[in-house]
Amino acid sequence: MVPPARLRRHSPRASLAPAAVAAAASERQKATPPAPALGPGMQPIPRPPPGTQHWPPADDRLVRTPCPAGRGPRASLPADAGSRKSEPIPAARASGSCLPVQFLNAGDPGAHPDAEHAASGALRQPDRHSRRCVGEAEARGPAQGAWLPGAGPGLLPRGQGEPPDNMKSFWRFIFRRNLPSTSLCQMDFAVLGLGDSSYAKFNFVAKKLHRRLLQLGGSALLPVCLGDDQHELGPDATIDPWLHDLWEKVLGPHPLPLDLGLSPPGIPWPSKFTLKFLQEVPSTCSEELCVAGTDPQGPPSELQPFLAAMVTNQRVTGPSHFQDVRLIEFDITGSGVSFVAGDVVLIQPENTASHVQQFCQALGLDPDQHFTLQPREPGEPQPPLLPPCTAPSSVSPAPGLPPPASPAPHSLPFPTAGVPCPARLPQPCSIQRLVSQYLDIASVPRRSFFELLACLSCHELEREKLLEFSSAQGQEELCEYCTRPRRTVLEVLCDFPHTAGAIPPDYLLDLIPLIRPRAFSIASSLLAHPSRLQILVAVVQYQTRLKEPRRGLCSNWLASLDPGQGPVRVPLWVRSGGLTFPKTPDTPVIMVGPGTGVAPFRAAIQERVAQGETGNVLFFGCRQRDQDFYWEAEWKELQTRGCLTLVTAFSREQEQKVYVQHRLRELGPLVWGLLDLRGAHFYLAGNAKYMPADVSDALTSIFQEEGGLSGPAAAAYLARLQRTLRFQTETWA
């Protein structure tokens, strides 16, 4: 469910992830005929029979309903592949008794734990029977050969119908026109997509990749799987049965040797990193963020953000309006930051001080303790996972299972080999800094979190419940306990106090995802406001059945900062956005931006007016003129000067609601004339739920009524506008 109050931030995911999986065998299996994709329409996981155990035993945060009752058991492409000259793809190597299986994950690192969880199924397969490799789609260099023919399943996740950044070279390579249709005739593959069906191009990249691999002669082990974040039980509802079928296909012609042992599912992999506490506080402070504006190597980036001074933080909605929306301005003097209309700014938020303190108490960590972090080396033995079972000082020990047996020292599997430390993490670092700025303890945990937490638990009751939540049969219970009420990582750890108090520090970065930067559309132009950058932020707060309101991490953190009380600096950097405005003079633009969706269009209008462009038409919608009409005075002043045509829709000021799509239909002759006769560009920004489809329907009707086009011709006209980038959208869920 999408909460009603949403953060106005740029979110480019039309499909979060094509997580691709390809399995190459030494002997090609018979091709399977195409079948319908597994998607949102599949049968839900059956609900297990009711039980008697309740979890947590007591929870005073609940307003109405108790927490859920316990139920019954429950060879990659070279990095320069996109630019090389045409060359044949070598044939797949015969693997003999070794089944080569490769998983590739395309997308922001750590952004899709579902993809990593899917890959873990392969990693649990026997060490000597399969050659396993997990990495990014373009993580390896030219010397390591081509991935496609010799390896197998890759995880490839995302976008507004565009591949993620770390997949683009692979994408260009595989769509080269001169690749013969037999290029992949010795490769079996399967594709798993992770997406969000609220977007029009749901899992577009996964679907397109699947078709292309078939065109190149590959044999599909399974129909493409379309994991959906909007499914009631999350992507796992689709992924679980798909993975089961995948391993039946892969292991069918390659049965396991009888003398081969399996990695027990109850024992975790060794941690990716070793965390070594320092006895003394370092004399030199390495924890201050670098100011990228002083770095001659380039503009600010994620690894070296600019610490921008916050100049103003002003509420722009009326006092009686249901949502707090902020106009925030930063001073970027000396930063080296440059941007144009349509670009976005990324901001790295922090956890609240109270949450940091609560987390450290739950895990028994000293926030002032410093440590160094090192990748665990291949072959490095894993120390005992758990000390004798202890509980936090505030919780008396309870009878429980003995600590899970540690695996005997052995060469570590691939997932822990060569994993670099987070580049932004200073060395040495304090626990306070780690929890405050890096660990996303305010996120809603995924199933993989409960799976690892169960492996680390030494408390019988808690471990039993965690195993239930991490099982395929327990997904409805997990949804009821965690996903629907949006329970956070911190709240889950507080509900499992004995387990939380026994988590080895080495596993912190395996268990908890890193805080990801939030992207906001830039709402100002450097031509109008030199050395300034402005954003429009809707502060996210909504209620679930939990007593404590749910709050967006970044929007609430920004809203809490008050430059009037002293200097405030926020780490930020800029990147290109999803909207590009015409460079040719005298080209009109039509912009539809209801609510906070108007933010990128303010930057565009300021920029175009400064350049002498007057063909600016803005359709703006909000609830009430006196509550959430952003930049009303500015728009009216531009109207008076003849630089802007403003059309408004105030949905709550009359008995029947009026939205921007209604205003578009009313002004159909104007819209058609600008598009068809003057070559105007059309832009749309806002919530992805209903508005984009309603606006598209309004445009199709205008093309029929004003242009005299038939239904199919009107649809084709709209598609042509999209294909030529004369119709662009920026939407978020």
Side-chain angles (χ1 to χ4, degrees):
M1 294 291 292
V2 179
R6 295 303 299 172
L7 170 65
R8 169 65 192 108
R9 77 169 188 249
H10 175 80
S11 178
R13 9 165 262 179
S15 57
L16 288 180
V21 184
S26 57
E27 180 180 356
R28 175 174 172 169
Q29 300 179 18
K30 184 177 180 181
T32 343
L38 296 172
M42 64 165 290
Q43 292 297 320
I45 297 175
R47 185 179 180 91
T52 57
Q53 176 188 337
H54 293 267
W55 200 269
D59 190 348
D60 58 2
R61 292 188 309 253
L62 292 175
V63 178
R64 293 181 296 276
T65 56
C67 285
R71 304 289 174 179
R74 295 286 217 219
S76 69
L77 277 180
D80 61 348
S83 58
R84 294 189 304 170
K85 295 181 179 179
S86 173
E87 58 187 34
I89 297 180
R93 295 178 296 171
S95 58
S97 61
C98 177
L99 172 64
V101 177
Q102 185 174 42
F103 284 75
L104 297 180
N105 182 11
D108 297 332
H112 302 293
D114 304 282
E116 298 170 5
H117 180 73
S120 70
L123 301 173
R124 288 288 180 186
Q125 299 305 315
D127 289 356
R128 291 171 290 166
H129 188 68
S130 62
R131 180 175 63 79
R132 304 159 316 179
C133 181
V134 175
E136 294 188 15
E138 297 170 1
R140 291 190 271 170
Q144 294 167 292
W147 161 68
L148 281 171
L155 295 180
L156 304 169
R158 150 140 132 168
Q160 286 276 41
E162 297 181 358
D165 292 341
N166 68 344
M167 184 187 177
K168 286 182 178 177
S169 292
F170 167 84
W171 197 252
R172 288 193 298 267
F173 178 85
I174 202 167
F175 280 94
R176 282 162 46 177
R177 295 179 181 273
N178 55 0
L179 291 180
S181 60
T182 57
S183 297
L184 305 181
C185 63
Q186 298 188 42
M187 188 187 82
D188 299 320
F189 72 92
V191 176
L192 162 63
L194 300 178
D196 187 322
S197 59
S198 64
Y199 291 90
K201 293 188 176 181
F202 169 60
N203 269 317
F204 178 82
V205 176
K207 298 171 187 175
K208 190 171 182 179
L209 175 65
H210 183 87
R211 291 194 299 268
R212 181 57 173 165
L213 295 178
L214 288 174
Q215 290 172 357
L216 294 177
S219 177
L221 292 169
L222 292 172
V224 58
C225 177
L226 307 179
D228 184 10
D229 264 3
Q230 293 295 323
H231 192 286
E232 185 182 25
L233 302 182
D236 283 328
T238 306
I239 293 174
D240 278 340
W242 186 86
L243 281 178
H244 179 270
D245 293 343
L246 172 66
W247 289 117
E248 283 192 349
K249 288 278 189 179
V250 171
L251 297 179
H254 302 276
L256 304 181
L258 296 177
D259 61 343
L260 194 62
L262 297 174
S263 301
I267 296 180
W269 289 114
S271 61
K272 295 177 184 176
F273 308 103
T274 57
L275 191 149
K276 297 181 180 179
F277 288 110
L278 305 179
Q279 298 301 318
E280 298 180 357
V281 177
S283 55
T284 58
C285 181
S286 64
E287 298 196 8
E288 291 299 324
L289 280 171
C290 298
V291 179
T294 63
D295 180 20
Q297 296 180 356
S301 64
E302 182 172 7
L303 298 183
Q304 200 171 34
F306 177 71
L307 294 179
M310 181 181 287
V311 179
T312 59
N313 187 348
Q314 174 189 4
R315 175 167 176 151
V316 291
T317 47
S320 62
H321 191 60
F322 78 99
Q323 188 170 38
D324 180 2
V325 178
R326 300 296 181 98
L327 176 61
I328 301 176
E329 182 175 72
F330 300 101
D331 184 353
I332 56 172
T333 302
S335 66
V337 167
S338 179
F339 57 86
V340 296
D343 287 350
V344 297
V345 60
L346 291 100
I347 292 177
Q348 190 68 43
E350 298 180 9
N351 290 307
T352 65
S354 61
H355 284 173
V356 172
Q357 181 182 15
Q358 192 177 358
F359 179 87
C360 291
Q361 289 176 347
L363 273 70
L365 297 171
D366 178 3
D368 297 323
Q369 179 75 56
H370 283 71
F371 66 90
T372 59
L373 193 72
Q374 298 297 329
R376 190 176 295 280
E377 297 297 331
E380 181 183 350
Q382 168 78 3
L385 290 180
L386 294 171
C389 192
T390 57
S393 57
S394 60
V395 182
S396 53
L401 293 175
S406 300
H410 63 290
S411 293
L412 299 187
F414 182 86
T416 61
V419 178
C421 291
R424 295 188 296 109
L425 191 72
Q427 298 273 19
C429 181
S430 67
I431 292 293
Q432 169 81 24
R433 175 76 178 274
L434 174 69
V435 182
S436 173
Q437 299 183 15
Y438 293 90
L439 299 184
D440 197 355
I441 60 176
S443 62
V444 177
R446 299 277 193 166
R447 174 179 169 185
S448 53
F449 170 89
F450 291 90
E451 185 177 82
L452 178 55
L453 200 59
C455 294
L456 300 176
S457 178
C458 62
H459 186 274
E460 182 176 9
L461 181 63
E462 293 182 1
R463 190 179 186 191
E464 180 183 347
K465 193 64 184 180
L466 290 166
L467 287 171
E468 175 186 329
F469 284 152
S470 60
S471 68
Q473 296 79 14
Q475 290 314 288
E476 188 170 343
E477 287 300 312
L478 178 59
C479 181
E480 182 66 25
Y481 166 69
C482 191
T483 309
R484 286 197 188 103
R486 311 302 292 170
R487 200 181 299 262
T488 66
V489 166
L490 176 59
E491 290 170 331
V492 171
L493 292 174
C494 291
D495 284 346
F496 293 84
H498 300 90
T499 301
I503 295 173
D506 284 359
Y507 278 94
L508 284 176
L509 276 80
D510 295 77
L511 187 66
I512 303 172
L514 297 180
I515 297 175
R516 300 180 63 206
R518 272 54 169 181
F520 298 85
S521 296
I522 298 175
S524 61
S525 169
L526 289 173
L527 298 181
H529 301 278
S531 301
R532 293 290 190 268
L533 187 153
Q534 298 179 355
I535 57 175
L536 192 64
V537 181
V539 181
V540 178
Q541 180 172 321
Y542 58 96
Q543 194 73 48
T544 67
R545 63 181 176 82
L546 298 180
K547 182 178 180 180
E548 185 70 20
R550 306 294 92 185
R551 294 180 173 90
L553 175 62
C554 189
S555 63
N556 281 269
W557 176 67
L558 287 172
S560 70
L561 303 176
D562 184 3
Q565 299 297 317
V568 173
R569 292 189 175 271
V570 173
L572 57 79
W573 62 100
V574 168
R575 75 174 184 207
S576 298
L579 300 177
T580 56
F581 292 87
K583 304 299 181 184
T584 54
D586 301 325
T587 301
V589 295
I590 303 172
M591 297 160 284
V592 179
T596 52
V598 75
F601 301 141
R602 180 176 183 250
I605 292 170
Q606 287 183 351
E607 188 172 282
R608 287 173 56 83
V609 169
Q611 294 169 343
E613 301 292 338
T614 58
N616 307 303
V617 180
L618 174 64
F619 287 81
F620 173 75
C622 64
R623 292 195 171 199
Q624 295 173 316
R625 184 189 303 268
D626 62 346
Q627 294 296 320
D628 53 343
F629 191 179
Y630 312 129
W631 300 301
E632 177 183 7
E634 184 174 328
W635 301 140
K636 290 184 176 180
E637 191 267 336
L638 289 174
Q639 262 192 312
T640 303
R641 290 167 49 190
C643 299
L644 175 68
T645 300
L646 176 66
V647 182
T648 56
F650 303 112
S651 61
R652 302 301 198 274
E653 290 194 349
Q654 56 282 315
E655 186 175 343
Q656 188 168 358
K657 295 178 182 177
V658 175
Y659 297 110
V660 287
Q661 59 266 26
H662 300 130
R663 297 300 191 208
L664 280 169
R665 291 176 187 267
E666 292 173 7
L667 295 175
L670 171 66
V671 173
W672 173 253
L674 289 173
L675 288 172
D676 195 60
L677 301 179
R678 298 188 56 190
H681 288 220
F682 191 97
Y683 297 90
L684 172 66
N687 192 290
K689 192 170 185 180
Y690 300 120
M691 190 265 299
D694 292 338
V695 169
S696 295
D697 290 343
L699 286 177
T700 303
S701 297
I702 291 171
F703 299 159
Q704 292 176 268
E705 296 170 9
E706 304 300 331
L709 303 181
S710 65
Y717 190 96
L718 183 61
R720 186 163 64 252
L721 291 178
Q722 293 173 322
R723 189 170 59 253
T724 57
L725 298 183
R726 288 180 54 204
F727 181 18
Q728 299 178 42
T729 63
E730 178 181 293
T731 59
W732 67 93

